[in-house]
Amino acid sequence: MIKTIKLKFGKAPNLPSAEIDTTPVTVFVGPNNSGKSKVLSEIHYLCTNGQLNSMDVILSEIEFDSFTSDMVQKKIEKITLRPQSNEPVMPDHIIVGKGGNRNMIQKQILLSALQNTNSQLNVFCRFYLAFNTLILDGRNRINLVNQQPAGDLQQHPDSSFQVLFRDDDKRKKVRRIIHEAFGLHFVVDPTHLGYLRLRLSSRPPSTDLEERGIHAEALQFHSSATLVEQASDGVKAFTGIITEIIAGDPAVLLIDEPEAFLHPSLAFNLGKEIALTSSESEKRIFVSTHSPYFVMGCIQSGAPVNIVRLTYRGGIPTARVLANKDILRLMRNPLLRSTGVISGLFYEFVVVTEADADRAFYQEINERLLRHQPDMGISNCLFINAQNKQTVQTIIKPLRELGIPAVGIVDIDILKDGGQVWTGFLESSFVPELEHQSLANLRHAIKQKFDGKNMKRDGGVEILSDGDKEAANNLFDKLAEYGIFAVRGGELESWLPNLGATGHGPAWLIAVFEKMGEDPESVGYLMPSNDDVWSFLGEIKKWFTNPTRKGIPL
């Protein structure tokens, strides 16, 4: 149906606009206010009106597939309605529509539009695709489980409930998914004559007739089951989406934040089932999500899925189509999975530290900056920790390959490690290869200048002579250009020396937090200043917010 989608911007300013070759599922991810929900509404508008909205800021164009003559006949039959009594129909015209919408059109014009979709976009969308496009948000997906008319069994079904009531295979597929999610058995109840209702039963029906009949046994069975429309919002949302995916017939389905009301495990299951089911149909599903669990479910299903990351900062939008293999690497690598790296898809920036104590300290410093000096704080930033200095590079490289600005914070003893460890930091930061050798030589020379002194505990670069200190700072300035920030005072514990916190690692963290205070109204509460660790975070913010920052591959 939808062949490609072209956006108005690409990976960076002055680069080609992003063009998405659609798969059964396309998932839009990114920070808050990046345009994830907006792009769904723009796709919906074009599909239902046949033209772009003048207010569109993301969508540039959509290219549709055309249909063969055999396919066209079948698709027109599905939307053709019987004339109502006293409803005049002009010669060679038909009535098309769905859900109460009825439009008269000359059949040959509609046939031509379906065979030439892109050149006759207005007719194709208004008289066909508008009836086959559905957008689901938090409110209307809950209403999907409300009772629906049973319809005329002698006519084509025109709702998902009618399809499920008649199609044993689809009904049993929904039942399997719901049972795996909630431990209850999904059934369709016809005992309210003229209507169909969805229920959850503690046991499966013993026969199809017990579920689909209106005799005493069926009445008893359904009276013991719970109406889905009386269940929790999470159950209603999950069930509504699953029934629409499996039994609904929209050619284009747009779902905004499907994870709303759902536990992470249910969001994962929903992503997996949506991807698997859509891969077996002609539907094109577009999703906006904030959930890494939903994304993981989609990817781990093995079905073809597009992940598109949107960002918007300082009036500059970006869009990057992420390769499935790169997402899989984040999910399958035990180190990356254990640190929650995939959550970085939904943040604007990521800071990676050597250990958990470092992460907790820098995150607290940033939160105080955001509260009291917001011009220096880093908003929409995820702080995560590696296991040591070497694994910082393991984390930042795949994030940057996905277009996510990721900073590494390391102690000064990054100078001690040469060979592959040092080269790994340069490679993970995308420092040009031609500079590797000169930087390696400078690192080695500076290391020698410490002459056996403890660079971490004895004062960092300050223990060097003036010329050597300048050389060391030049090296660290170079690393900072590429998003690797070394603690020039030595290590984590060198920050805020005036507080007098002692110990190392977690012990130091507890001590320094106690001395920093927790109540902003108390006398002992440490407010941000313009030096020490506060300015260190400020430098990191400058790298993040620099649109021409180095170290992010295009």
Side-chain angles (χ1 to χ4, degrees):
M1 176 63 66
I2 293 182
K3 186 177 180 180
T4 60
I5 288 180
K6 188 172 183 180
L7 306 184
K8 293 186 175 183
F9 43 84
K11 296 178 181 179
N14 303 318
L15 288 182
S17 297
E19 189 166 315
I20 306 163
D21 295 322
T22 62
T23 52
V25 178
T26 296
V27 182
F28 293 97
V29 300
N32 289 332
N33 301 315
S34 59
K36 300 185 299 296
S37 299
K38 182 75 167 79
V39 71
L40 296 190
S41 66
E42 292 183 7
I43 294 172
H44 180 259
Y45 186 91
L46 190 148
C47 289
T48 53
N49 291 275
Q51 59 186 1
L52 292 170
N53 190 319
S54 60
M55 302 298 290
D56 286 353
V57 294
I58 301 175
L59 185 65
S60 174
E61 62 180 278
I62 295 179
E63 181 183 0
F64 295 91
D65 288 311
S66 294
F67 304 104
T68 65
S69 56
D70 291 340
M71 295 171 64
V72 165
Q73 293 292 344
K74 293 178 181 178
K75 292 186 178 299
I76 289 180
E77 286 178 9
K78 288 186 65 174
I79 61 169
T80 299
L81 304 176
R82 286 183 175 181
Q84 297 175 345
S85 59
N86 300 320
E87 181 178 20
V89 179
M90 297 173 61
D92 302 323
H93 284 62
I94 56 174
I95 305 293
V96 296
K98 186 185 291 185
N101 293 316
R102 304 174 66 86
N103 293 276
M104 185 186 304
I105 185 173
Q106 188 175 353
K107 185 174 182 179
Q108 189 57 46
I109 291 177
L110 185 54
L111 282 167
S112 177
L114 288 172
Q115 291 176 300
N116 303 277
T117 53
N118 297 298
S119 61
Q120 301 182 42
L121 192 59
N122 186 268
V123 173
F124 167 65
C125 291
R126 289 181 54 213
F127 291 92
Y128 175 78
L129 195 54
F131 312 130
N132 288 279
T133 297
L134 177 65
I135 188 166
L136 298 178
D137 56 22
R139 180 175 56 187
N140 66 8
R141 66 170 165 263
I142 289 178
N143 295 334
L144 288 173
V145 300
N146 294 343
Q147 69 177 17
Q148 297 179 6
D152 185 344
L153 291 177
Q154 297 184 27
Q155 301 296 321
H156 289 298
D158 60 7
S159 73
S160 58
F161 286 19
Q162 293 175 26
V163 170
L164 289 172
F165 185 69
R166 304 182 199 190
D167 192 317
D168 294 342
D169 291 338
K170 290 183 177 180
R171 190 169 67 257
K172 290 175 181 177
K173 184 175 182 178
V174 173
R175 183 172 299 151
R176 172 190 62 78
I177 295 171
I178 299 300
H179 187 261
E180 290 176 357
F182 305 112
L184 296 169
H185 302 274
F186 171 91
V187 292
V188 182
D189 171 16
T191 59
H192 183 185
L193 296 181
Y195 291 91
L196 297 174
R197 298 178 291 189
L198 304 183
R199 291 185 181 271
L200 297 177
S201 171
S202 60
R203 68 171 179 86
S206 56
T207 64
D208 283 343
L209 186 60
E210 185 178 39
E211 177 183 9
R212 300 176 68 214
I214 57 173
H215 56 307
E217 289 80 2
L219 290 171
Q220 178 60 39
F221 172 74
H222 286 296
S223 66
S224 301
T226 302
L227 285 169
V228 175
E229 59 188 275
Q230 295 178 355
S232 68
D233 286 346
V235 172
K236 288 190 285 190
F238 187 93
T239 304
I241 293 174
I242 289 296
T243 56
E244 194 60 44
I245 292 291
I246 292 175
D249 63 353
V252 178
L253 181 60
L254 306 117
I255 311 175
D256 192 17
E257 297 185 18
E259 71 277 5
F261 316 116
L262 299 183
H263 185 274
S265 62
L266 288 179
F268 177 91
N269 288 341
L270 184 61
K272 181 185 70 174
E273 295 296 345
I274 285 177
L276 285 174
T277 301
S278 63
S279 67
E280 302 166 357
S281 71
E282 297 179 357
K283 292 185 178 76
R284 285 294 181 262
I285 300 175
F286 299 89
V287 180
S288 160
T289 182
H290 289 91
S291 170
Y293 303 98
F294 180 87
V295 173
M296 288 190 287
C298 289
I299 297 294
Q300 290 194 359
S301 71
V305 177
N306 275 326
I307 307 294
V308 182
R309 187 171 190 265
L310 303 177
T311 67
Y312 184 79
R313 166 168 280 275
I316 300 174
T318 68
R320 184 182 293 246
V321 182
L322 310 181
N324 282 3
K325 63 180 179 64
D326 293 333
I327 302 290
L328 280 171
R329 183 157 54 130
L330 294 185
M331 291 164 26
R332 289 176 175 172
N333 182 302
L335 171 65
L336 301 180
R337 187 171 65 245
S338 67
T339 56
V341 167
I342 197 170
S343 295
L345 291 173
F346 305 93
Y347 287 81
E348 196 165 1
F349 311 118
V350 178
V351 169
V352 184
T353 66
E354 292 188 19
D356 188 55
D358 303 65
R359 178 205 57 78
F361 176 72
Y362 291 117
Q363 184 169 316
E364 174 62 22
I365 294 298
N366 187 57
E367 288 178 0
R368 295 196 183 202
L369 285 170
L370 288 173
R371 187 180 305 122
H372 303 293
Q373 290 190 24
D375 58 320
M376 293 179 63
I378 309 166
S379 60
N380 208 349
C381 182
L382 174 68
F383 287 76
I384 58 178
N385 62 274
Q387 302 305 315
N388 51 37
K389 179 167 65 272
Q390 289 76 17
T391 51
V392 169
Q393 60 181 276
T394 306
I395 295 175
I396 65 173
K397 184 176 182 180
L399 287 171
R400 293 190 182 192
E401 288 173 335
L402 295 174
I404 301 170
V407 152
I409 298 179
V410 294
D411 292 341
I412 195 173
D413 63 351
I414 188 178
L415 294 173
K416 288 185 175 182
D417 296 310
Q420 187 54 48
V421 174
W422 175 259
T423 302
F425 267 105
L426 301 183
E427 291 176 344
S428 68
S429 307
F430 297 91
V431 176
E433 187 175 354
L434 286 176
E435 298 188 58
H436 287 192
Q437 189 58 54
S438 61
L439 292 174
N441 294 338
L442 180 57
R443 178 208 65 80
H444 179 73
I446 294 171
K447 175 188 172 184
Q448 296 298 108
K449 291 297 182 178
F450 280 95
D451 193 23
K453 298 173 184 175
N454 190 324
M455 63 178 71
K456 289 182 67 173
R457 306 289 173 84
D458 294 344
V461 298
E462 293 300 321
I463 63 178
L464 297 173
S465 65
D466 289 345
D468 295 339
K469 180 168 65 174
E470 182 178 350
N473 280 323
N474 288 342
L475 175 60
F476 291 138
D477 287 344
K478 184 68 174 181
L479 294 180
E481 289 180 21
Y482 287 87
I484 298 296
F485 288 82
V487 181
R488 304 185 194 199
E491 58 183 345
L492 174 71
E493 292 80 1
S494 66
W495 295 121
L496 304 177
N498 57 306
L499 294 183
T502 58
H504 186 74
W508 177 85
L509 181 71
I510 293 171
V512 80
F513 276 175
E514 288 178 352
K515 292 178 180 294
M516 289 170 66
E518 60 183 41
D519 182 3
E521 303 301 322
S522 68
V523 175
Y525 182 81
L526 183 66
M527 297 291 287
S529 62
N530 294 317
D531 57 4
D532 205 86
V533 69
W534 314 102
S535 63
F536 181 69
L537 263 288
E539 291 302 311
I540 291 175
K541 178 177 181 176
K542 289 179 184 177
W543 185 84
F544 276 142
T545 56
N546 180 2
T548 61
R549 73 178 83 85
K550 299 177 181 179
I552 305 295
L554 298 175

